[in-house]
Amino acid sequence: MARKVIPEGVRKAYAARYGKGWEEKFHLDAGVSAHEARARFGEWLAEIEIRIASLKAAKAKGPQPLTRQQAYALAGQWYSWFLSRHERDLKTPGHWRALADIFVWEVIGSNAPDEYEEHPEDDPDWDWQFSPEVKEEIRPAIALEAETAAFLMEQNLSLTPDAAELFIDAVSGNLLPALQRLEALARGDFSPDKHADVFPKLEQVSAVVPVKALELFNAWRNAMQPAEGTIYRWATVFKEADRRFVDVRRISYDEAKAWMTGLVNEERSAGTVAGAWRTALKTVFTWGVKERLIDSNPFPEVHISVPRKNVEREGKAFDRAEIKTILSAALLCPDIDAYSERARRWVPWICAYSGARAGEITQLRAADIQQRDGFWFARLTPSAGKIKTRKARTIPLHEHLIEQGFIEFVHKASGSPLFYEPKGRTTQRDDNQPRQNQAERMRSQVGMWVRSLGVSDPEISPNHAWRHTFKTIAARVGIDERYSDAITGHVPATTGRKYTTPTPEDLAEALKKFPRYRLD
C-alpha cells in the first residue's frame, strides 16, 4: 500500500480532472511478489507525478484577467459550446422550458428585493438583478447550470477571480436565450439564431488544445480500468493513431477509412485491423463521445474487407486422437519435481474436465481447492490472478481427477501456488507487449509442450480448444447449457438466465453426467 498527497497548488485542477482532490492511493493484494509489486508501484507513481507535473505546467501560465468586453466575447464562445454540447442529446421542448422557468423564477426571481415584490411595476425589466448583491448570490447556481467549469477546462483556460466573476456574469445574461434556443430546436425550429450576433469577437483569450489519440486512450484507461493485457494491446493502436491525427476531436469518416485501409500490410492482416484495431478505436471513441471529450466517432461505420480463409477443420474442439495424445502424455509427467512438470501433468486434465481457461488453472493455489458437501471444488478468483470476467466462480472437480490423486497433490503443495514458483523472477518489461506473470508464462509453456507432442494444426489452440471440447461433450451428454456456461465462465445468454444462477453443488451434480476420457 502507498499514498501520494496531491500538492495543494494543483488540488482543485486535479480533482476536476481525475476525481481525487487530496491524495491518490495504491494497493495490491498480498499474493503479488515483491518484485512485481515494486514494478507496479513505480509505474503508478510515475503516472501520478506526470499528471501533477502537467497540471503545474498549465498553472505556470497563470490565470488570465479579462476586460468586460473580453468576458462577453468568451461568453459568446460558451454560448456556441453549450448549444453544441446539448444538441447531440436534445431533450423535449418541455425539458428546456422547465429549465428556463427554474432559471428565471428560482435562481434569479427568488433574489428579488422586497420593494420589487410590493411594486413590480416600478422595475418591469428586473434591473435589480444586475446589483452586486444579486450577482454574488446567483453566481454558484449559474456556474452549475451553465457548466462553466467544464467549458473552461476544455478550453484549457484559467481565469483570475475577478475575471471568473465577469465571465459568469456575462454567461448569466445569456443562459436564458441558450435554453430558449434549445427549446426551439427541440420543436424543430431551425431558423437562424440571431442571438449569436450580439457577442463581440474574442481575441487572444482562449486556446483550444488539440486532443491527441493517446490522451483520449489514457483518459479512457483511467476511467474504465481495463485489464493490463488490453492496455498493452490497445496502446499500440493509439500510438499509431497519434502519428496520423493531430486532433481526434473531429475525424471524418473519409479520413478514418483511408487511414485504416492503409494499416493493412504484410505484417498486419486485414482481419487484425478489422477486428482488434477497429474494436479498440470504436470502444474508446464511443466512450469519448459519451463523455463529450470529442465530437464524433467514425470508426463504427468503417468497413475493412477481410478475405475469407479456407477452413479445413470441422470445429475448434480437439478430435479423439489429439485428446488421447495430450492426456496420455500428461499422465506420464511427474507432479513432484519441477513446476513445469506439475503443470503438464494436471492442467490439461483439469481443463479437459472443466473447460476452464488454462490461465485460470495455472494460477490456482492450494487454498483454492476446497471441499463442500462431499464434493471437491476449485475457486477461480481475481485475487489469484487474471479472470477475464473479473468475477470469481467455483467449479466442481470431476471424480476422475480425484481418483488420479489430484487432492493428494494439492495437500503436498502446503498452501502454495500449484503450478508456478511463487517467487520466480519476472521477465524484463516490454512496452509493446502485455506483461505476463508467472502463471501466464506457465500457461504458454503448457501450450508449447502440447505443440511439441504433434498437436500442431494451426487452426486449433493448444489450450483454448479444451473449452470447445468440454462444451461439445457437455451438450452431447445432455448437461444443461446453463450449467456448462457457469462452469466455463461464459456470460448467460439472456437476462432471465442471470436470475437462475446454479449453485456450485448444482454444477457438481451436473458434472456427474460428464463421461470419463478413455485413453485405451
Side-chain angles (χ1 to χ4, degrees), residues 15-67:
R17 183 165 298 185
Y18 302 111
K20 303 288 181 64
W22 177 253
E23 65 181 9
E24 287 280 9
K25 293 182 178 179
F26 173 82
H27 174 266
L28 285 177
D29 292 324
V32 178
S33 69
H35 183 91
E36 185 171 356
R38 285 193 293 270
R40 291 195 191 182
F41 168 73
E43 297 167 7
W44 172 81
L45 184 62
E47 181 174 347
I48 301 303
E49 290 181 339
I50 288 172
R51 291 179 181 178
I52 293 172
S54 298
L55 292 173
K56 284 182 176 180
K59 186 177 179 180
K61 299 178 181 178
Q64 298 192 37
L66 293 176
T67 64

Side-chain angles (χ1 to χ4, degrees), residues 281-322:
L281 293 160
K282 182 172 62 174
T283 301
V284 174
F285 273 71
T286 296
W287 175 85
V289 171
K290 289 181 179 179
E291 294 296 319
R292 297 180 178 177
L293 299 176
I294 56 177
D295 297 324
S296 62
N297 178 12
F299 295 103
E301 308 302 324
V302 175
H303 174 74
I304 302 296
S305 298
V306 180
R308 298 182 64 180
K309 295 182 178 179
N310 295 330
V311 178
E312 301 294 338
R313 292 186 72 100
E314 295 179 353
K316 296 183 178 181
F318 289 124
D319 60 30
R320 291 183 181 181
E322 291 165 335

